Amino acid sequence: MRKHVIGAMVVTMALGLTACGGDSGDDASAAKGKGKTLTVWIMEGTNPDARPFFNEVSADFKKKTGVTVDVEYQQWTTVQKKFTTAIEGGASQVPDVAEVGTTWIPQFAETGALVDVTDKVKAAGLSTDLVPGLADAGTLDGKQYGMPWYAGVRALLYRKDVFDKYHLKAPTNWDELRETALELKKKEPDMIPFPVAGSAEMNTVPFIWGAGGDLAKQEGGKWKSTINSPESVKGIQYYTDLAKKDKLSPAKVTTWTEKEIATDFQKGKIAMTLSGSWTPKAFVAAAPDLKGKLAAAPIPGEKGGLSKSFLGGSYLSTFKGDNQETAWEFVKMVTTGKYATEWAEQSNYFPGQNSLLKQVEAKNDPLVAPFAKQMTDAGATVPKTPAYGEIQAAQVVPKMVQSILTGKQTAQEAADQAAKEMDKIFAS
């Protein structure tokens, strides 16, 4: 998953699963595990300080099992290479447990380094409660490689005070989205009604999915781009027309990433945008004047319903080695019950279980529930192949959008070119 600045959204959840943490220890288990060490890699740099959390978890785990947990903190920007080197070195070099971004699962699974925990998840009674899109992200060829730990998703974030001022409602289809943005352009000329950010890939993809298109499909074990299909191009055309035809997004936004959107939203210069579930209260923290002025809604579908949105996050996966059973017990402890709830509260992301997310929705927090609904009802993943990481690195989708916005190519021409680039990478 591409990591983001995390907001201060506090998700308070009642437990829908039996807590794996507790106060009572198992003397026999503790004696059996005495002297053993479990190596765990956890990412840092974007999440809050995880050390107090893992100090608590590790102490509880040692009390229960006798096993000492050695947590090593890694940086997202450098750890992928470290993973690759460790995997090449064999079982003695890899950690027992690691936080793994969902888009890395295919790469590591294909090397044979990850443990298939499908049967363990099922035996623990967890398989039917996992958020479908997030469970799918960590599943390859029917095998699940770890447990979802936390996740985020993008939905529609808007200025409630501005909407209320003009008696506007959150749009429920694409026509309403366009009409609402046009009304905002007329009523609030100093605000960007809806930014079409050329470098924000995950703000483009919902419109491809929403029109019934997709980025790529797998046939006969091989991936082929479908970004230039009629359905995909229809979504791309709609999205880029908001800027190119309707002038709802100024030219400067053509090269914007989500970071620039966040900056201008905090400055009160944007009325409505796609934004991550981790951002609303982060915006309020950065700009206190926004308190009470924000609301969210799922991304509307073309004719109603919801458009899908990228659901990304982190898994806790076990690596093949001598401690697989102990590693699984640790993963289960962290990703369910008490500790799943604690981490969700601290990290400001969502847990990976439907039961907990439904309870979040039921609280009707206007800055939380819509994102939870988006996640449970319309979360999606990018193609599950290591090649898609290369496609993202090559900026294929952003280049396509920017080419359209600058008038260099039509939507179909730009999509055709993007498809060729994607297929070349898929074939390499």
Side-chain angles (χ1 to χ4, degrees), residues 1 34 55 68 77 87 93 102 107 171 176 180 193 217-218 228 244 267 270 281 321 325 349 383 424:
M1 174 185 180
K34 187 176 181 179
N55 287 342
T68 298
T77 53
I87 290 169
Q93 301 299 310
T102 53
Q107 176 186 350
E176 289 183 8
T180 300
K217 63 180 179 180
Q218 190 176 28
N228 61 338
K244 190 170 174 59
K267 292 179 179 179
I270 293 175
K281 290 191 177 178
E325 292 301 320
Y349 276 104
K424 184 177 180 180

Side-chain angles (χ1 to χ4, degrees), residues 352-422:
Q353 285 114 46
N354 279 315
S355 57
L356 299 183
L357 280 171
K358 290 296 183 184
Q359 292 168 26
V360 174
E361 287 185 62
K363 294 180 181 297
N364 292 318
D365 184 327
L367 293 179
V368 177
F371 288 102
K373 182 174 180 60
Q374 180 79 57
M375 183 169 166
T376 54
D377 295 354
T381 62
V382 297
K384 292 185 291 180
T385 165
Y388 198 76
E390 297 179 38
I391 289 168
Q392 288 183 311
Q395 295 284 294
V396 174
V397 174
K399 287 190 300 184
M400 175 192 71
V401 174
Q402 290 170 16
S403 181
I404 299 166
L405 294 178
T406 56
K408 293 179 180 178
Q409 292 178 304
T410 66
Q412 186 67 62
E413 290 169 345
D416 287 341
Q417 181 172 321
K420 289 180 182 178
E421 292 184 53
M422 292 172 70

Side-chain angles (χ1 to χ4, degrees), residues 136 201-202 205 208-209 212-233 236 308 380-389 391-392 396-397 400 415 418-427:
D136 181 63
E201 177 179 342
M202 294 309 167
V205 175
I208 294 174
W209 285 328
D214 211 338
L215 296 165
K217 63 180 179 180
Q218 190 176 28
E219 292 182 352
K222 296 182 179 180
W223 283 94
K224 181 174 177 56
S225 175
T226 55
I227 200 168
N228 61 338
S229 71
E231 295 82 4
S232 297
V233 172
I236 295 166
K308 292 179 181 178
T381 62
V382 297
K384 292 185 291 180
T385 165
Y388 198 76
I391 289 168
Q392 288 183 311
V396 174
V397 174
M400 175 192 71
K420 289 180 182 178
E421 292 184 53
M422 292 172 70
D423 285 341
K424 184 177 180 180
I425 295 173
F426 283 138

Side-chain angles (χ1 to χ4, degrees), residues 5-9 153 156-158 265-266 275-287 290-291 294-296 348 365-368 371:
V5 176
I6 298 178
M9 179 178 67
V153 69
L156 196 68
L157 184 68
Y158 61 94
F265 197 97
Q266 291 167 21
S275 196
S277 51
W278 53 92
T279 64
K281 290 191 177 178
F283 291 169
V284 173
L290 292 177
K291 186 175 182 179
L294 306 182
N348 310 310
D365 184 327
L367 293 179
V368 177
F371 288 102

Side-chain angles (χ1 to χ4, degrees), residues 192-351:
I192 298 174
F194 187 81
V196 178
S199 291
E201 177 179 342
M202 294 309 167
N203 284 21
T204 301
V205 175
F207 295 97
I208 294 174
W209 285 328
D214 211 338
L215 296 165
K217 63 180 179 180
Q218 190 176 28
E219 292 182 352
K222 296 182 179 180
W223 283 94
K224 181 174 177 56
S225 175
T226 55
I227 200 168
N228 61 338
S229 71
E231 295 82 4
S232 297
V233 172
K234 183 179 181 181
I236 295 166
Q237 186 78 65
Y238 171 84
Y239 181 58
T240 54
D241 273 353
L242 293 174
K244 190 170 174 59
K245 182 179 177 181
D246 296 320
K247 308 298 182 185
L248 297 171
S249 181
K252 67 178 182 179
V253 183
T254 298
T255 58
W256 275 12
T257 64
E258 291 179 75
K259 180 180 179 180
E260 283 76 32
I261 293 176
T263 298
D264 264 32
F265 197 97
Q266 291 167 21
K267 292 179 179 179
K269 296 181 179 181
I270 293 175
M272 172 175 60
T273 186
L274 300 191
S275 196
S277 51
W278 53 92
T279 64
K281 290 191 177 178
F283 291 169
V284 173
D289 287 348
L290 292 177
K291 186 175 182 179
K293 298 179 180 179
L294 306 182
I299 304 172
E302 181 186 3
K303 301 298 182 182
L306 306 185
S307 288
K308 292 179 181 178
S309 180
F310 174 65
L311 171 58
S314 282
Y315 263 55
L316 282 188
S317 296
T318 58
F319 283 73
K320 290 184 178 177
D322 297 332
N323 296 322
Q324 292 181 30
E325 292 301 320
T326 305
W328 166 249
E329 291 304 316
F330 182 80
V331 167
K332 190 167 61 171
M333 173 182 278
V334 176
T335 60
T336 64
K338 168 186 174 181
Y339 290 118
T341 301
E342 284 189 16
W343 184 247
E345 291 172 348
Q346 292 179 32
S347 69
N348 310 310
Y349 276 104
F350 291 122

Side-chain angles (χ1 to χ4, degrees), residues 23 30 66 91 140 150 220 233 245:
D23 295 325
L140 194 66
Y150 64 88
V233 172
K245 182 179 177 181

